[in-house]
């Protein structure tokens, strides 16, 4: 069994989505122990979007079922995409109901220290296509599924309306396309629209 960490490292100076709070650490030292205060936005680095992120009456993090976040997944090769992932790109993968779909794009080559505004995103029609396929989870390798600066939020809403879990900020730099066992668990912070998470892929038999 091989475990591949696909989470961004959480560190000061890391890339954040514009206008989001920066990641900061303030250390404390006591007589017998040390600790630190962490400050960040809840969509920093690798994170999960709950329905509340884009839907006024959507579920918050603690009410999202964990089952979609644990199980077999497919990492699709989308490294050829220059701008937005299209319906045509997805149709070639023969996506089935109940799948967990993760997309590896050129984003994973960008690193995690500097924000890149021209990241590969999910086109609105492609998000609607995935929603129609009834997948249970979609993951991408940058800080948002939608195009930077676009007023069209369908990339979020089409998925979240169907309770399809969204993971953003994944890192597939060392991952080959294929089938894996996915585990991605957000922090159980109540009443929030999203939360940081640790995500891994497992290759081989899961005990």
């Amino acid at each position: 069994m091989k475990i591949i960490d696909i989470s961004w490292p959480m560190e000061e100076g890391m890339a954040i989505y514009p206008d989001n709070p920066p990641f900061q650490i303030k250390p404390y030292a006591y007589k017998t122990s040390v600790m630190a205060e962490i400050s960040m936005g809840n969509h920093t680095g690798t994170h999960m979007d709950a329905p509340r992120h884009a839907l006024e009456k959507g579920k918050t993090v603690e009410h999202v079922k964990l089952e979609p976040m644990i199980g077999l997944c497919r990492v699709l090769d989308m490294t050829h995409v220059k701008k937005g992932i299209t319906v045509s790109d997805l149709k070639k993968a023969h996506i089935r109901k109940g799948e967990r779909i993760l997309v590896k794009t050129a984003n994973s080559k960008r690193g995690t220290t500097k924000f890149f505004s021209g990241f590969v995103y999910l086109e609105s029609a492609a998000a609607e296509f995935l929603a129609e396929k009834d997948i249970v989870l979609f993951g991408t390798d940058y800080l948002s599924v939608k195009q930077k600066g676009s007023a069209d939020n369908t990339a979020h809403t089409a998925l979240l309306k169907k309770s399809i879990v969204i993971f953003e900020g994944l890192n597939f730099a060392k991952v080959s396309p294929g089938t894996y066992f996915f585990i991605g668990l957000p922090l159980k912070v109540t009443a929030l629209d999203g939360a940081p998470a640790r995500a891994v892929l497992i290759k081989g038999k899961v005990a």
Side-chain angles (χ1 to χ4, degrees), residues 51 59 64 68 135-136 158-165:
K59 291 180 179 179
V64 177
I135 65 170
V136 297
L159 300 177
L160 296 177
K161 282 179 180 178
K162 296 287 291 287
S163 297
I164 297 168
V165 175

Side-chain angles (χ1 to χ4, degrees), residues 2 42 103 112 119 124 138 143 180 186:
K2 180 180 181 181
N42 64 321
V103 290
T112 60
F119 59 84
S124 297
F138 178 77
L143 297 175
Y180 297 87

Side-chain angles (χ1 to χ4, degrees), residues 141-178:
D141 53 358
Y142 217 67
L143 297 175
S144 181
V145 293
K146 86 177 189 76
Q147 183 181 21
K148 171 74 171 65
S150 174
D152 183 359
N153 200 27
T154 305
H156 280 112
T157 57
L159 300 177
L160 296 177
K161 282 179 180 178
K162 296 287 291 287
S163 297
I164 297 168
V165 175
I166 298 175
F167 266 78
E168 298 169 331
L170 299 172
N171 182 3
F172 299 120
K174 298 181 180 179
V175 176
S176 299

Side-chain angles (χ1 to χ4, degrees), residues 62-82:
E62 76 276 23
H63 296 298
V64 177
K65 292 182 179 180
L66 297 178
E67 285 82 357
M69 301 180 237
I70 304 172
L72 290 176
C73 73
R74 276 200 293 157
V75 177
L76 305 184
D77 185 358
M78 295 289 166
T79 54
H80 62 282
V81 176
K82 303 299 182 184

